[in-house]
Amino acid sequence: MSSIDQVFADLRAANRKAFIPFVTAGDPSLDVTSAVLKELSKRGSSVCELGIPYSDPIADGPVIQASYTRALDRKIKLSQILEMAGKTTPEMTAPLVTMVSYAIILRHGPEQYVRDAKAAGVAGAIVPDLLVEESGDFAKICKANDFSLIQLVTPTTSRERALRIAETSTGFIYYVSVAGITGERTQLPADLLENVSWLRSQTKVPICIGFGISQPEHVRTLKKVADGVIVGSAIVRRMSEIGEKTEEQVIAEVGDYAETLIEALNE
Amino acid sequence: MNPASESLGPASANVPDASGRYGAFGGRYVPETLTRALDELTVEYAKAKADPAFQAELDQLLQDFVGRPSPFYHAKRLSEKCGGAQIWLKREDVNHTGAHKINNTLGQALLTLRMGKKRVIAETGAGQHGVATATACAHFGIPCVVYMGEEDIRRQAPNVFSMKLLGAEVRPVTTGSRTLRDAINEAMRDWMSSVETTHYILGSVVGPHPFPQIVRDFQSVIGSEARVQSLARFGRLPDSVVACVGGGSNAAGMFYPFIEDKEVELVGVEAGGRSDLAGDHASPLTFGSPGVLHGSYSYVMQDEDGQTCDVHSISAGLDYPGVGPEHSYWKDTGRVRYTDCKDNDALDAFDALASCEGILPALESSHAIAAGMKVAASKPSDQIVVICLSGRGDKDAAEIARLKAERQ
Ligand SMILES: Cc1ncc(COP(=O)(O)O)c(C=O)c1O
């Protein structure tokens, strides 16, 4: 059983839901990324997502895109990110997964990527531009290495296709709440709950919902149908305030913020 | 992953396969949100292609609205200047809106109507694709938003003005290098949120399947006409065919009908920029490596981590770090020879065509003219070199004045 499977098994046994925060690697620095990952794990996150900055993201909104640009302007390299992960994961209880473009995996070599990430204690990958049709070879490599390949379902995915994705996704299914890019939103789509409940009834793989989630109210609504929630832009935006505020201040604020959402999940 | 060039065999015109592959290249590397629209587009396009009424409507528009067939012109004085083969120009510059881009936008606008979509978005570098999209949308009454990098807005001011006059909204893109590549990113992001109601009219043979195929097919009218015109004039095919390559749509359209005519030499010309150093040019086929950018697997200018490199060209339409997947396939099969042309050589070719023939070429097309002149000079006078004159140079006049002042 992979470490992510274990997390969800434990959560289910305790009748609890997963909180999954996202942070951009290297924004504002890899030391700060390491510190905030440890903080988020300590505060009760179930899994942490580490965004590998990419020069040409398509699925990301302005907040995450800008954080990628800032990190790349500081010449952050994949090898340095994995090195930081290797030093950080031993101090985290929550498994770490990378959110990474296939452009980067392909350049690194898919086998090599999985091997290097595993060696750094990374438990899996979310590859937003790798569709189920194109994912066969990479999925095999992941499977052989007990490395989770978390695939995405969106509101534009047909039900038949969602079942196909559910069959191949390991760790959990990333259910994208909106047809659109990442970013905080006040309202979630009306039919979201119904769609997720349907998928919930069709598969045993845990389903976590992401994109647009930022408020305790969202979390209270979504926990009825999902196994967890993923929060990205709201955290990345707070991280971007480092400079106006001190690193310690912002990391503590992010931790407090995560705790309010975790509390809402566990009410 | 290495493209399996050994096992590719000779280039076939029968590509892509059902998954959108040209050999190892192409495919679809996009967020899941876009798959439904891409599937729908694939199906609708296949139906349209098989529908004689669709083809007839497009042909009529190309004739009456665009002014096709475009002329096939013997550049006598330019040929004399080169002192070799006879240079003939395929005159896409005299099309309505001044470039080959209109061939594709009218086709895709008709597809938009067939799919019942209510809004169009597009990206543009030189502005020619933006103007052509705005024109097609005005013709059919479809609302239109065009994404354009701020640097390109500066370089291509006349086209920005035209797009606005045609009723399109031009959205400046301020991220990254503020050029074509960033405009494509922004258009893709818009499409992610609007995919149910919006068609994205991509401007070149790039992007996820089926775009490279659709754009190549719509642009193939260029090569098909050139073929017929050549047979009518000379009773034979040309010896060489030359076209510039940004994303590669005018070149794909020009080359595709000749792919299986082994005796015809095909030459694609990338932007050589200032020098061969990374960052100084926009020549992924010459200097890049296979990777993923903007939804397909093709040659890209990337660093050791897979991050896209900055590129440079004086020509906004060639200032792009990627290239269409079919060109990558043609390169690896050896069917097309790819070369590059430096900024300064393109400016000299601009002057040569202007003074010898009374034609101002687009800066993009000037790259093809420069390389075509070299090809012609190396051949005997009974040979025929056809150059695709992809667009006219009016849009570049102010930029050329500035570049010339800089050069002095
Ligand atoms: C006149 C002209 N030629 C060539 C190009 C390059 O595009 P492509 O390589 O797709 O033909 C452009 C792009 O804007 C253009 O305006």
Side-chain angles (χ1 to χ4, degrees):
Chain A
M1 193 182 260
S2 79
S3 54
I4 299 177
D5 296 338
Q6 189 64 56
V7 163
F8 282 99
D10 293 348
L11 284 167
R12 273 188 188 167
N15 197 23
R16 293 175 63 160
K17 307 285 170 165
F19 177 73
I20 307 180
F22 169 98
V23 294
T24 295
D27 178 41
S29 71
L30 286 168
D31 286 344
V32 171
T33 305
S34 176
V36 75
L37 284 173
K38 285 184 240 173
E39 179 76 11
L40 284 163
S41 176
K42 196 176 77 191
R43 299 274 194 143
S45 301
S46 313
V47 176
C48 291
E49 271 183 32
L50 181 63
I52 310 293
Y54 176 48
S55 55
D56 296 82
I58 293 170
D60 284 300
V63 169
I64 291 178
Q65 191 205 6
S67 74
Y68 281 0
T69 305
R70 285 192 296 272
L72 290 174
D73 284 348
R74 295 198 173 88
K75 311 258 180 281
I76 303 277
K77 295 288 175 194
L78 180 63
S79 56
Q80 299 168 310
I81 295 172
L82 292 179
E83 194 185 323
M84 177 278 293
K87 289 191 187 128
T88 311
T89 48
E91 295 183 51
M92 294 170 67
T93 50
L96 186 66
V97 300
T98 49
M99 170 84 107
V100 54
S101 168
Y102 199 57
I104 294 172
I105 293 180
L106 206 51
R107 181 66 168 166
H108 205 68
E111 294 245 23
Q112 190 70 35
Y113 183 85
V114 172
R115 226 176 299 140
D116 291 352
K118 274 276 299 197
V122 173
I126 302 164
V127 191
D129 51 358
L130 187 64
L131 299 176
V132 64
E133 294 85 354
E134 307 271 6
S135 68
D137 291 346
F138 189 60
K140 264 187 220 136
I141 297 169
C142 291
K143 195 157 198 164
N145 287 282
D146 197 18
F147 190 75
S148 299
L149 178 59
I150 297 145
Q151 299 195 306
L152 296 94
V153 171
T154 75
T156 60
T157 307
S158 69
R159 290 195 159 181
E160 170 260 318
R161 194 176 158 83
L163 292 180
R164 207 146 39 102
I165 296 170
E167 261 169 40
T168 56
S169 196
T170 54
F172 61 92
I173 295 165
Y174 192 132
Y175 201 104
V176 176
S177 69
V178 293
I181 53 182
T182 58
E184 294 170 64
R185 289 176 175 80
T186 45
Q187 290 248 314
L188 294 170
D191 53 359
L192 176 63
L193 293 188
E194 190 195 317
N195 290 333
V196 177
S197 317
W198 172 81
L199 187 59
R200 176 66 295 142
S201 70
Q202 302 292 313
T203 174
K204 290 202 162 53
V205 185
I207 303 173
C208 299
I209 305 180
F211 280 43
I213 298 162
S214 61
Q215 301 165 9
E217 206 38 55
H218 296 153
V219 168
R220 284 188 196 103
T221 313
L222 297 177
K223 71 176 182 183
K224 291 175 205 138
V225 293
D227 299 283
V229 295
I230 304 157
V231 175
S233 296
I235 290 172
V236 173
R237 178 171 57 77
R238 283 175 172 78
M239 294 300 291
S240 74
E241 287 166 5
I242 291 177
E244 297 153 44
K245 303 176 185 169
T246 67
E247 289 170 10
E248 292 73 23
Q249 250 175 337
V250 170
I251 291 170
E253 276 177 24
V254 166
D256 292 345
Y257 168 67
E259 239 169 57
T260 60
L261 297 180
I262 293 169
E263 272 165 25
L265 270 180
N266 291 330
E267 272 164 13
Chain B
M1 209 202 292
N2 246 329
S5 26
E6 321 77 63
S7 61
L8 274 179
S12 163
N14 192 22
V15 283
D17 66 14
S19 59
R21 293 282 173 178
Y22 306 78
F25 300 105
R28 263 188 204 169
Y29 297 92
V30 292
E32 169 65 22
T33 301
L34 298 179
T35 52
R36 187 151 98 195
L38 293 170
D39 283 342
E40 182 190 352
L41 183 60
T42 307
V43 169
E44 274 309 319
Y45 177 62
K47 280 196 216 151
K49 204 174 166 177
D51 177 0
F54 177 86
Q55 209 51 57
E57 186 173 2
L58 181 56
D59 286 349
Q60 195 71 52
L61 268 174
L62 289 174
Q63 185 184 315
D64 301 341
F65 189 64
V66 176
R68 301 207 74 91
S70 70
F72 191 59
Y73 167 73
H74 186 193
K76 281 202 203 82
R77 294 190 63 225
L78 189 71
S79 306
E80 268 164 35
K81 183 182 161 84
C82 294
Q86 298 307 304
I87 296 175
W88 288 71
L89 302 177
K90 181 60 180 158
R91 297 285 310 272
E92 293 300 299
D93 63 315
V94 300
N95 288 345
H96 179 46
T97 72
H100 66 294
K101 299 284 180 185
I102 190 79
N103 305 324
N104 169 46
T105 59
L106 287 172
Q108 286 203 51
L110 281 174
L111 283 176
T112 306
L113 297 179
R114 275 179 84 101
M115 293 186 292
K117 303 242 164 165
K118 303 281 178 255
R119 172 178 176 260
V120 156
I121 54 174
E123 85 298 333
T124 195
Q128 290 302 110
H129 175 60
V131 169
T133 306
T135 299
C137 288
H139 176 84
F140 290 113
I142 312 171
C144 169
V145 171
V146 180
Y147 290 90
M148 188 169 187
E150 267 194 340
E151 166 65 7
D152 293 338
I153 287 180
R154 181 192 68 71
R155 291 194 275 190
Q156 305 288 343
N159 274 341
V160 177
F161 189 57
S162 300
M163 283 182 262
K164 290 180 179 163
L165 291 176
L166 289 159
E169 179 191 337
V170 180
R171 290 204 188 146
V173 176
T174 58
T175 50
S177 54
R178 299 161 195 239
T179 58
L180 180 55
R181 155 193 166 200
D182 310 285
I184 297 182
N185 287 334
E186 263 332 295
M188 289 259 188
R189 275 194 206 104
D190 180 319
W191 204 32
M192 286 277 290
S193 315
S194 62
V195 66
E196 305 281 346
T197 55
T198 300
H199 177 59
Y200 176 14
I201 299 193
L202 240 169
S204 193
V205 286
V206 301
H209 176 65
F211 280 111
Q213 179 189 6
I214 291 177
V215 179
R216 176 256 271 162
D217 287 355
F218 286 143
Q219 291 297 0
S220 290
V221 66
I222 308 172
S224 301
E225 282 177 11
R227 214 168 178 288
V228 170
Q229 287 164 325
S230 185
L231 289 171
R233 292 270 181 161
F234 323 119
R236 69 181 182 92
L237 297 176
D239 298 286
S240 304
V241 172
V242 184
C244 69
V245 179
S249 68
N250 86 91
M254 188 70 179
F255 296 162
Y256 183 69
F258 293 102
I259 284 301
E260 295 190 342
D261 302 314
K262 302 275 158 23
E263 69 274 27
V264 181
E265 176 196 38
L266 303 174
V267 183
V269 189
E270 298 192 290
R274 292 178 287 248
S275 85
D276 291 353
L277 295 174
D280 271 2
H281 59 77
S283 308
L285 289 167
T286 311
F287 298 107
S289 53
V292 163
L293 177 65
H294 293 146
S296 75
Y297 181 65
S298 191
Y299 278 82
V300 205
M301 289 306 303
Q302 57 181 338
D303 72 6
E304 73 278 9
D305 264 1
Q307 311 289 354
T308 312
C309 299
D310 284 339
V311 291
H312 159 83
S313 169
I314 46 164
S315 137
L318 304 185
D319 199 350
Y320 180 63
V323 66
E326 195 161 15
H327 286 289
S328 296
Y329 168 71
W330 289 338
K331 173 192 161 72
D332 278 15
T333 54
R335 178 62 189 95
V336 180
R337 176 166 72 85
Y338 293 93
T339 175
D340 68 346
C341 160
K342 296 273 172 281
D343 286 347
N344 279 333
D345 297 334
L347 285 171
D348 291 341
F350 178 95
D351 286 342
L353 194 68
S355 61
C356 292
E357 300 292 345
I359 298 172
L360 303 183
L363 273 178
E364 290 78 12
S365 320
S366 301
H367 288 69
I369 302 289
M373 286 168 67
K374 267 198 207 164
V375 171
S378 72
K379 300 198 181 263
S381 62
D382 60 348
Q383 292 219 344
I384 297 150
V385 176
V386 179
I387 306 173
C388 183
L389 183 52
S390 57
R392 64 179 176 232
D394 311 38
K395 68 183 176 68
D396 295 317
E399 186 64 1
I400 287 171
R402 193 185 68 80
L403 290 165
K404 286 197 168 189
E406 241 176 37
R407 237 171 133 183
Q408 271 158 15

